[in-house]
Amino acid sequence: MTDSFQAPRGTLDWLPPRSGARRAMIGAFAARAERAGFREAQTPVFEEQGLFARTAGASSEVVGKEMYVFTDQGDRELALRPEFTAGIVRAYLEHGLSREAQPVRLWSAGSCYRYAAVQRGRYREFTQVNAEAIGSDDPAVDAELIALQVGWFRELGLEGLAVRLNTIGDRADREPYLALLRAFLDKHLGDVADDVRRQRDLNPLRAFDTKDPASQAVMAQAPVIADHVGAEAAAHFDRVREFLDARGIAYVLDPTLVRGLDYYSRTTWEVAWPELGAQSGIGGGGRYDGLAELIGGPPTPGVGFACGVERVLLALAAQERLPGVAPRCDAFFMVLADAARPTLHALMEAARDRGLACEADLAGRAAKGQIKQADRVGAARTVVCGDDEWARRVCLVRDMTSGEQIEVALDDLVGHLADLAGGAQA
Ligand code: AMP
């Protein structure tokens, strides 16, 4: 009843049949990440509000305007996680993961929360799959992450992706560049929108994110950070590109790509599926070598990405490529003798224990209705037990494809079904 404040009605993907596709997609992500050495990490849905404020930077949209913040009964200021990275790095620092072999690679999937203007592809509760590699500044790690993300999209069959890539250098490179950018903005303050003027003092890099066409035209003339990165960051970026090129991963260099959170350094990237329109970003990531220090830890390099599961679902649905999740039903139990139901339901449970998918009528349907229901669930066979069969402690097992039917003693039913299903699978 309250779904509509989180997402417009009809766009929720949490219910069948979309919920099956969602789980299959997340399952494919988990399996792919684990093949690449990532392990699952689950962090709390709510954390101390300061964790996100310190790390994302007060100028970020997410922290400034979009965070769900509340005070609990112990007077703690908490926030629903707007993203995974800060919580994962906090967990890495608090739970001794820095003593394991580096980089520690972790994947996660779950809900994130942002008080954003709801529209197609943009919800207040949404799902991210996320991957982080913490503890190595090797450029091969940046490429591993990008390859994992792009590889997942490829595995899902998503075509027509646009990958944009940039480097924003190290923090030390940024100050002299920001001075240049502020000077540029000062010259054009009269020609840009209010949000851009505000960013001049908060975080001038964000001026590039403006949606206002006139401001965008101004920003197209602005100095870009990629021209002002130091030698080390530039060499790192060249090497990342070499790793990507060797893997045949296509990308476009975009010197204006700065990403929304303050903690990024060096490599940044975004993946879009342009046909989604206004909310076309299906994933983004970057290196965040300064983040651990913002949380009170020692200098620790890291790189990671997140993808929006609902947007990927929208893109796959538009391409008619939602992962198929046809539910399986090995046997539908048509119990027409009321006295037989408890025994037949017990046999059904025993068959489930053997790994078979079984259902029975649970709504008092007459014979015709039960046949229809068996059809609806795509049952491979029916188990029929009417008064006559029950009196003889037998049932009829009918193959729904061939129409063949045999009589089986109830005592032998579970073994018989298991043999049939085993034979069918072999
Ligand atoms: P970000 O953490 O902002 O880089 O977001 C990573 C990805 O999460 C984006 O590329 C989107 O696919 C997805 N995403 C971000 N915000 C939302 C939202 N409000 N609703 C749905 N998906 C979102």
Side-chain angles (χ1 to χ4, degrees):
M1 232 139 50
T2 54
D3 292 351
S4 54
F5 94 95
Q6 295 157 325
R9 233 167 236 300
T11 58
L12 277 178
D13 300 316
W14 317 76
L15 299 174
R18 283 273 180 100
S19 51
R22 151 194 293 272
R23 194 179 60 184
M25 285 167 54
I26 294 174
F29 180 78
R32 192 172 189 96
E34 289 181 358
R35 291 201 296 279
F38 289 72
R39 294 166 299 159
E40 183 177 5
Q42 298 236 12
T43 57
V45 166
F46 58 84
E47 299 248 12
E48 180 222 338
Q49 185 259 350
L51 173 72
F52 301 110
R54 274 198 308 281
T55 54
S59 67
S60 87
E61 285 268 298
V62 171
V63 170
K65 292 197 237 147
E66 297 184 350
M67 228 167 24
Y68 278 93
V69 179
F70 63 99
T71 309
D72 77 356
Q73 292 177 37
D75 258 351
R76 282 173 287 256
E77 282 269 290
L78 301 173
L80 299 184
R81 67 181 173 214
E83 51 115 32
F84 277 94
T85 308
I88 298 276
V89 175
R90 177 199 53 70
Y92 169 96
L93 294 169
E94 271 178 19
H95 298 289
L97 294 177
S98 59
R99 290 191 294 274
E100 294 190 3
Q102 307 292 300
V104 169
R105 284 154 291 166
L106 302 168
W107 72 266
S108 312
S111 290
C112 295
Y113 304 84
R114 296 183 191 175
Y115 192 80
V118 169
Q119 53 184 283
R120 183 168 178 265
R122 193 195 238 202
Y123 313 119
R124 292 179 179 156
E125 175 166 12
F126 60 100
T127 314
Q128 284 190 343
V129 293
N130 185 85
E132 314 285 350
I134 309 171
S136 167
D137 62 3
D138 186 337
V141 186
D142 307 40
E144 278 275 274
L145 271 291
I146 296 171
L148 172 59
Q149 189 178 33
V150 172
W152 179 54
F153 292 139
R154 192 176 57 236
E155 190 174 320
L156 294 174
L158 201 51
E159 283 169 4
L161 296 181
V163 181
R164 292 184 300 141
L165 182 70
N166 191 25
T167 178
I168 57 170
D170 290 314
R171 280 188 162 251
D173 305 333
R174 224 167 302 159
E175 272 318 312
Y177 165 73
L178 291 180
L180 276 178
L181 186 57
R182 281 198 191 94
F184 171 87
L185 285 170
D186 286 342
K187 269 195 266 161
H188 295 91
L189 280 183
D191 314 321
V192 294
D194 281 351
D195 65 316
V196 180
R197 267 197 293 275
R198 256 197 313 277
Q199 294 297 4
R200 187 232 170 260
D201 298 317
L202 281 171
N203 182 349
L205 275 181
R206 295 252 163 68
F208 288 106
D209 293 338
T210 179
K211 300 275 182 287
D212 168 53
S215 308
Q216 282 173 342
V218 171
M219 293 311 295
Q221 309 300 318
V224 292
I225 184 126
D227 293 336
H228 297 271
V229 303
E232 266 185 55
H236 180 97
F237 192 51
D238 287 345
R239 196 79 174 135
V240 172
R241 294 182 56 193
E242 234 181 283
F243 280 111
L244 294 178
D245 295 342
R247 286 170 131 116
I249 293 174
Y251 55 84
V252 172
L253 291 179
D254 179 351
T256 68
L257 176 69
V258 292
R259 307 260 313 134
L261 301 175
D262 275 356
Y263 54 62
Y264 285 107
S265 58
R266 298 197 172 185
T267 321
T268 59
W269 72 89
E270 277 184 5
V271 186
W273 194 66
E275 286 172 56
L276 281 179
Q279 304 300 321
S280 65
I282 55 173
R287 187 163 265 291
Y288 47 80
D289 293 346
L291 177 59
E293 284 162 276
L294 292 175
I295 306 179
T300 312
V303 53
F305 69 77
C307 305
V309 169
E310 288 79 10
R311 290 190 196 173
V312 179
L313 272 168
L314 281 173
L316 289 173
Q319 295 193 351
E320 295 183 4
R321 281 172 193 256
L322 280 180
V325 280
R328 184 182 113 212
C329 179
D330 296 309
F332 187 91
F333 283 55
M334 285 182 53
V335 191
L336 307 172
D338 202 43
R341 288 184 86 202
T343 301
L344 267 293
H345 283 213
L347 291 173
M348 174 171 77
E349 188 62 19
R352 287 176 183 156
D353 286 343
R354 298 279 293 265
L356 297 168
C358 301
E359 287 188 47
D361 170 58
L362 297 173
R365 289 181 182 85
K368 227 166 136 188
Q370 293 200 31
I371 294 175
K372 235 191 201 161
Q373 183 62 9
D375 250 353
R376 217 177 278 142
V377 300
R381 56 193 67 82
T382 49
V383 170
V384 185
C385 189
D387 288 323
D388 171 51
E389 288 84 15
W390 176 240
R392 295 187 292 121
R393 295 297 183 268
V394 297
C395 62
L396 303 173
V397 177
R398 183 185 169 87
D399 185 306
M400 294 289 275
T401 318
S402 67
E404 253 173 64
Q405 182 167 292
I406 55 165
E407 194 173 281
V408 179
L410 291 183
D411 284 346
D412 300 334
L413 177 65
V414 174
H416 179 77
L417 290 175
D419 288 348
L420 284 178
Q425 278 159 20

